[in-house]
Structure formats: C-alpha cells, structure tokens
Amino acid sequence: RPAPTPEAPAPEAPPAPTAYRLPDVGLLQAPPPFVPGADNTEEQGRVIVETLEQFGIPVQITDVIRGPVITRYEILPAPGIRVNKVTTYSDNLQMALRAVSIRILTPIPGQGVMGLEVPNPKPRIVTIREVAEGAAWRRAASSMALPLLLGKDVGGDDLIVDLAKMPHLLIAGATNSGKSACINSLLS
C-alpha cells in the first residue's frame, strides 16, 4: 500500500488589483516634422466644378475637409441632377485632377451632399504619439474599458474606439501593406 501523499498547500490569493497606469508617451518617437505642400484645394475645387459643367452637371462645393492623406470635397448637385450622373464621370474627374485615384461617396451618410475624396499630393504620416498626446485620447482612456487608438479619420480627427464594445474588427489592405504588423501593434 502506498504511503499517503501530503496535501498540497492552498494557493495564495492573487494580490489585489491596482490601478494600471499607462507609460508616458515620451517613450514613443516624436513625429517627424511635416512641411505641407502648396494648398491647392481652391484650384482643385475649381477643376471639379468646371469638369462637371462640361458634361452639363452644375454643382456647388459646400465644404472642403483636408485630412492627413486625402481631401474630401463635399458637392451639392443642382436640383434635378441624379447622383449616378456624377459618378459616371469619375474617370474624367480623375484625369482632370491628375489624381492617382478618386473616390465618390454618394451621398455622404447623414448629409445631403456627395463626397469626392482626392489623395493629397504629399500625405502626412500619423504617429501613435501624436494621437496619444491629444485630448481625445485622455478622454477615451478615462471613459473606455479598452480604448484602441486607430489613428485619424478622413477629416484629421483622432479615431479612438472601445475594443470592449466591438464584436469584430476588420483590418483590410493589399498584400504586404502591414496588416499583420498592425494587428501585432494593436495587441501589444
């Protein structure tokens, strides 16, 4: 008959959780200085209006939103102009603007205008430190369960979401564009 084994001691209770404090943003590299190119939004707006007028589509530019990577022109077609008539001439607009690509939003959700997104000639790099130093991050860090810093939106506003409230997160991009590196940086 084997000898009885001594009972294992009860595991110690884990220490009481303490409030976690994020490291200082000074650990992150400072954003590189950005020298913006010439502001050609007025010229591009004029080209958009003139190009569409050549095809009998009168439009008015109601707003221009310049972000770090693209500029969005909010366009209001004249009464009676169908939205799909404007999208038909997207290739002509792209050529007239000498843009690598353009994107037409028909309409911008929640607004009564269309959006025409044109890449900036000189995109600006958005760094984590730049967003982490902003007021939006300070508000999110104190009010969200798992704040996730994503970058900036089209208009250049900080984009921070609560990962605890998101059932899914889609990371999309072309091959070798950094999707895996992005996921790894979000998790670390």
Side-chain angles (χ1 to χ4, degrees), residues 22-60:
L22 289 171
D24 186 58
V25 293
L27 293 173
L28 300 171
Q29 222 174 33
F34 177 71
V35 179
D39 184 9
N40 60 349
T41 53
E42 285 186 30
E43 173 65 20
Q44 283 189 326
R46 187 184 56 73
V47 169
I48 291 168
V49 170
E50 289 175 359
T51 302
L52 291 173
E53 281 180 353
Q54 290 174 2
F55 299 104
I57 306 171
V59 297
Q60 174 186 353

Side-chain angles (χ1 to χ4, degrees):
R1 188 165 201 214
T5 58
E7 286 186 28
E12 291 182 27
T18 58
Y20 178 77
R21 197 170 142 257
L22 289 171
D24 186 58
V25 293
L27 293 173
L28 300 171
Q29 222 174 33
F34 177 71
V35 179
D39 184 9
N40 60 349
T41 53
E42 285 186 30
E43 173 65 20
Q44 283 189 326
R46 187 184 56 73
V47 169
I48 291 168
V49 170
E50 289 175 359
T51 302
L52 291 173
E53 281 180 353
Q54 290 174 2
F55 299 104
I57 306 171
V59 297
Q60 174 186 353
I61 295 181
T62 60
D63 198 7
V64 178
I65 300 167
R66 189 172 175 101
V69 178
I70 66 164
T71 300
R72 182 173 67 199
Y73 297 88
E74 294 183 357
I75 301 169
L76 179 63
I81 301 293
R82 293 190 330 253
V83 171
N84 65 350
K85 189 172 182 184
V86 175
T87 60
T88 304
Y89 298 105
S90 64
D91 291 339
N92 299 83
L93 284 166
Q94 182 177 337
M95 188 171 77
L97 292 167
R98 294 178 176 86
V100 175
S101 64
I102 64 168
R103 179 176 169 222
I104 299 178
L105 303 166
T106 55
I108 296 174
Q111 299 183 23
V113 295
M114 299 174 58
L116 178 64
E117 296 179 349
V118 180
N120 292 337
K122 190 172 182 181
R124 185 172 65 83
I125 294 173
V126 176
T127 63
I128 291 175
R129 179 176 177 167
E130 175 184 349
V131 180
E133 289 177 329
W137 173 252
R138 286 190 294 278
R139 282 191 307 273
S142 65
S143 65
M144 294 181 179
L146 289 172
L148 179 61
L149 189 148
L150 296 177
K152 292 190 177 275
D153 65 8
V154 172
D157 298 322
D158 295 345
L159 188 57
I160 302 165
V161 297
D162 191 353
L163 188 60
K165 294 182 180 178
M166 299 175 68
H168 305 286
L169 177 65
L170 174 67
I171 307 290
T175 304
N176 279 339
S177 62
K179 296 179 296 293
S180 295
C182 176
I183 291 172
N184 286 330
S185 69
L186 294 176
L187 297 176
S188 58

